[in-house]
Amino acid sequence: MNVDRMQELVGQMRALAAEAAGKPSAGQGVAGGASSQQGDFAATLKTALDGINQQMQSADTMQQQFSAGQSNLSLSDVMLASQKASLSFQAALQVRNKLVSAYQDIMNIQA
């Protein structure tokens, strides 16, 4: 693969990441905004994982409360919360798998 094509692809990925974060992309150089983009990516990833963790804990709490016989919870609410948490976790696993695959591809290119 051509190095120019790889740099173009990295530039496109950075522009998309900046757009997703709500920041304007100002055509930064490769070394210009690397540390801030790494921090933004890490913060975004941590926020997403914290949200998934909170969903899973909430679903677990609802399951325990329903099992204890609290009358204000319906089975459909408990199952819906459980399925949302499960889908969020599965999506996070898919993202992790794609990131690992991309990392391996990059490492193979450099070798």
Side-chain angles (χ1 to χ4, degrees), residues 54-85:
Q54 193 257 340
Q55 274 186 333
M56 293 180 76
Q57 287 178 348
S58 175
D60 188 43
T61 302
M62 287 178 76
Q63 288 174 356
Q64 289 176 357
Q65 289 173 348
F66 184 78
S67 296
Q70 287 190 349
S71 62
N72 62 344
L73 291 174
S74 68
L75 179 60
S76 61
D77 290 339
V78 174
M79 293 304 294
L80 187 62
S82 296
Q83 288 300 312
K84 282 183 181 180

Side-chain angles (χ1 to χ4, degrees), residues 4-105:
D4 293 333
R5 176 73 177 128
M6 286 297 293
Q7 288 177 343
E8 180 183 339
L9 182 61
V10 169
Q12 289 175 352
M13 289 173 60
R14 286 186 177 151
L16 289 172
E19 183 178 319
K23 297 180 181 177
S25 61
Q28 298 172 346
V30 173
S35 63
S36 68
Q37 288 178 354
Q38 288 175 354
D40 290 344
F41 178 76
T44 303
L45 187 61
K46 181 170 178 11
T47 302
L49 291 176
D50 287 343
I52 292 168
N53 185 38
Q54 193 257 340
Q55 274 186 333
M56 293 180 76
Q57 287 178 348
S58 175
D60 188 43
T61 302
M62 287 178 76
Q63 288 174 356
Q64 289 176 357
Q65 289 173 348
F66 184 78
S67 296
Q70 287 190 349
S71 62
N72 62 344
L73 291 174
S74 68
L75 179 60
S76 61
D77 290 339
V78 174
M79 293 304 294
L80 187 62
S82 296
Q83 288 300 312
K84 282 183 181 180
S86 177
L87 285 174
S88 296
F89 183 72
Q90 292 298 321
L93 282 178
Q94 292 299 319
V95 169
R96 182 210 58 175
N97 291 342
K98 291 292 184 180
L99 287 172
V100 168
S101 176
Y103 175 77
Q104 289 172 343
D105 289 344

